[in-house]
């Protein structure tokens, strides 16, 4: 039993060190998160437990020198728990532990054997998330906890209240599964062991402790139920800045359109007969844009095709050719990828023109690749339609 305790302790230190090294080499993606819903971030645990009991008796004989890890006071058990994380740093856990222990009342470990159970409610504090920021892919999480509960020594029919504290270390294996190593310490009401100063020989009693104590070292697994991550909270300042940039760009386009309308009205008012044909050609020659989502060649809004249809009608009536130019934003993807993407976008719009009755031989397709001519950058994800 002593070897088991030592092996578990060394394993804990070794794995913790390796986890820390891993964390030092992998950058952490830290961000603010929202508190989870009631049904999110639940977990279950199962552990093999090694216990060492310290009852309220120690004999004056050779048994007084029984070591902490001696077989007269140690035994194996198990534990199971159900818990939930309400925030990345705060959680609750209901834990059952037992079922074999030793009272350390006699020199013979077989006489010391007893059966017990311990039910605790623990408050968990994930210090890794509290001090280092939430990271759903962190390898090692350091989680101290405090708890209280009720226990029963079934061999002596003794109930007792208890308080406890411990340290839970979890080591991420997958999104669902973690290895856990835990060190726990519980203090029970006096007499929980079944032995008190009233039912032992006082002449042989060396000292009387106030409480019965239990030290345990546990190794097991944690399995996350359902969603085991916290959602990012929106970055309000970034969204505000992005929205303002889009509003500024739209205002600039509106101002340009108003200026152009004013110029055309002045031309019509000054020389209606001479400028009407020229004005119509300028209006029709203005490029019409069809926009796309990032990395996609599917038209983002079919409403854009309404303006394309008007250009198609003019081209059919006048027998003019149409030039479709595809673009991608140069900030996303490689030059080769953007060239191919711009070609696909131009082909999609050309296909829509064919559906509108424009002959394929009257359509010229150009792939311009990645550009950075419009602001914000998303406006460059488009195809333009113009009359040649």
């Amino acid at each position: 039993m002593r070897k088991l305790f030592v092996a578990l302790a060394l394993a804990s230190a070794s794995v913790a060190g390796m986890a820390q090294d891993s964390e030092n080499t992998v950058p952490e993606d830290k961000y603010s998160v929202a508190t989870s819903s009631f049904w999110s971030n639940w977990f279950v645990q199962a552990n093999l437990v090694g216990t060492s009991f310290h009852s309220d008796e120690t004999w004056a004989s050779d048994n007084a020198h029984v070591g902490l890890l001696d077989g007269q006071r140690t035994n194996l058990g198990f534990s199971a728990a159900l818990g939930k994380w309400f925030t990345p740093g705060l959680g609750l856990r209901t834990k059952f532990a037992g079922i074999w222990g030793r009272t350390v009342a006699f020199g013979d470990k077989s006489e010391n054997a007893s059966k017990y159970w311990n039910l605790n409610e623990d408050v968990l504090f994930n210090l890794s998330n509290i001090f280092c920021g939430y990271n759903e892919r962190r390898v090692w999480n350091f989680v101290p906890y405090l708890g209280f509960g009720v226990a029963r020594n079934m061999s002596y029919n003794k109930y007792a209240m208890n308080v406890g504290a411990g340290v839970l270390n979890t080591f991420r294996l997958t999104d669902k599964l973690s290895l856990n190593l835990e060190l726990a310490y519980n203090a029970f009401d006096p007499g929980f062991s079944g032995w008190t100063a009233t039912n032992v020989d006082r002449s042989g009693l060396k000292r009387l402790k106030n409480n019965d104590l239990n030290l345990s070292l546990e190794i097991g697994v944690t399995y996350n139920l359902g969603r085991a991550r916290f959602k990012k909270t929106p970055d309000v300042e970034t969204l505000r800045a992005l929205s303002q940039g889009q509003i500024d760009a739209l205002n600039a386009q509106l101002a340009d359109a108003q200026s152009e309308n004013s110029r055309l009205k002045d031309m019509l008012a000054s020389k209606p007969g001479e400028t009407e044909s020229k004005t119509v050609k300028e209006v029709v020659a203005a490029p019409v844009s069809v926009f796309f989502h990032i990395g996609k060649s599917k038209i983002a809004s079919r409403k854009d095709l309404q303006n394309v249809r008007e250009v198609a009608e003019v081209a059919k009536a006048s027998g003019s050719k149409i030039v479709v130019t595809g673009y991608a934003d140069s900030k996303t993807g490689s030059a080769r990828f953007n060239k191919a993407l711009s070609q696909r976008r131009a082909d999609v719009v050309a296909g829509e023109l064919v559906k509108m009755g424009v002959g394929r031989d009257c359509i010229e397709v150009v792939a311009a690749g990645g550009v950075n001519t419009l602001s914000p950058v998303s406006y460059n994800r488009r195809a333009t339609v113009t009359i040649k």
Side-chain angles (χ1 to χ4, degrees):
M1 190 66 190
R2 179 182 303 176
K3 293 180 179 179
L4 175 64
F5 270 94
V6 174
L8 289 176
L10 290 176
S12 176
S14 175
V15 177
M18 289 187 293
Q20 186 63 47
D21 288 341
S22 175
E23 284 193 295
N24 290 336
T25 57
V26 180
E28 293 188 358
D29 179 20
K30 303 171 186 175
Y31 50 79
S32 298
V33 299
T35 54
S36 63
S37 67
F38 179 79
W39 302 110
S40 300
N41 296 292
W42 286 86
F43 63 87
V44 292
Q45 295 177 323
N47 300 290
L48 175 67
V49 182
T51 61
S52 177
F53 269 87
H54 305 262
S55 63
D56 57 2
E57 304 82 32
T58 301
W59 295 82
S61 64
D62 291 341
N63 297 336
H65 305 291
V66 172
L68 179 66
L69 303 183
D70 193 279
Q72 294 184 30
R73 68 168 74 245
T74 59
N75 213 337
L76 286 176
F78 71 92
S79 69
L82 172 67
K84 171 179 168 56
W85 290 103
F86 293 91
T87 72
L90 182 64
L92 291 178
R93 178 182 72 172
T94 301
K95 179 181 177 183
F96 173 88
I99 192 170
W100 304 282
R102 300 195 192 280
T103 61
V104 202
F106 302 101
D108 185 347
K109 67 179 182 180
S110 62
E111 292 182 290
N112 290 333
S114 64
K115 293 183 178 181
Y116 78 102
W117 56 258
N118 183 24
L119 187 64
N120 270 34
E121 189 68 23
D122 299 324
V123 183
L124 310 175
F125 305 93
N126 189 324
L127 297 189
S128 298
N129 284 336
I130 291 174
F131 291 108
C132 301
Y134 174 65
N135 179 8
E136 62 191 25
R137 304 191 68 81
R138 178 177 286 116
V139 176
W140 174 36
N141 283 282
F142 181 72
V143 187
Y145 63 86
L146 298 172
F148 66 94
V150 62
R152 183 191 178 201
N153 189 324
M154 294 177 287
S155 297
Y156 298 98
N157 195 26
K158 294 287 186 179
Y159 285 90
M161 301 299 294
N162 74 85
V163 294
V167 175
L168 169 66
N169 295 274
T170 64
F171 303 94
R172 181 181 177 275
L173 302 177
T174 68
D175 288 343
K176 289 288 189 181
L177 193 65
S178 298
L179 171 71
N180 38 272
L181 292 175
E182 183 173 343
L183 181 65
Y185 201 68
N186 283 278
F188 304 93
D189 288 338
F192 174 67
S193 65
W195 295 90
T196 64
T198 60
N199 60 10
V200 298
D201 183 4
R202 284 181 175 272
S203 63
L205 194 65
K206 183 177 180 181
R207 64 179 182 270
L208 180 67
K209 295 185 177 181
N210 292 326
N211 296 93
D212 291 334
L213 307 174
N214 177 21
L215 175 67
S216 64
L217 187 62
E218 310 181 21
I219 182 170
V221 292
T222 297
Y223 183 78
N224 297 315
L225 302 174
R227 180 180 175 86
R229 298 179 180 179
F230 288 88
K231 295 180 180 179
K232 289 184 180 181
T233 55
D235 190 335
V236 177
E237 293 302 323
T238 299
L239 291 176
R240 185 179 298 167
L242 178 61
S243 298
Q244 188 59 50
Q246 292 175 335
I247 291 173
D248 292 342
L250 291 174
N251 286 336
Q253 289 181 338
L254 180 60
D256 291 341
Q258 290 174 339
S259 176
E260 181 65 14
N261 286 340
S262 297
R263 186 180 71 82
L264 294 175
K265 286 180 180 179
D266 291 341
M267 290 175 62
L268 288 173
S270 60
K271 297 179 181 180
E274 298 178 6
T275 60
E276 183 175 358
S277 177
K278 182 179 179 181
T279 301
V280 170
K281 288 182 180 179
E282 288 187 11
V283 172
V284 171
V288 172
S289 293
V290 178
F291 293 95
F292 298 83
H293 293 303
I294 182 170
K296 305 293 183 182
S297 57
K298 181 180 179 180
I299 296 172
S301 174
R302 304 293 295 182
K303 293 181 180 179
D304 292 345
L305 296 178
Q306 183 59 42
N307 294 330
V308 174
R309 185 177 297 277
E310 293 176 2
V311 175
E313 295 300 327
V314 173
K316 287 190 294 183
S318 62
S320 302
K321 281 197 171 185
I322 296 177
V323 180
V324 181
T325 306
Y327 301 91
D329 72 87
S330 60
K331 300 293 185 181
T332 306
S334 64
R336 182 178 180 181
F337 175 81
N338 286 335
K339 186 72 173 178
L341 179 60
S342 65
Q343 179 70 51
R344 293 198 300 271
R345 287 172 173 173
D347 289 340
V348 167
V349 175
E352 294 295 334
L353 285 167
V354 171
K355 295 177 183 178
M356 295 174 187
V358 180
R360 190 64 182 82
D361 57 345
C362 294
I363 303 173
E364 179 182 343
V365 175
V366 179
V371 298
N372 189 23
T373 56
L374 299 179
S375 179
V377 69
S378 59
Y379 287 179
N380 295 295
R381 302 164 193 154
R382 61 173 179 156
T384 59
V385 180
T386 55
I387 291 181
K388 190 171 182 180

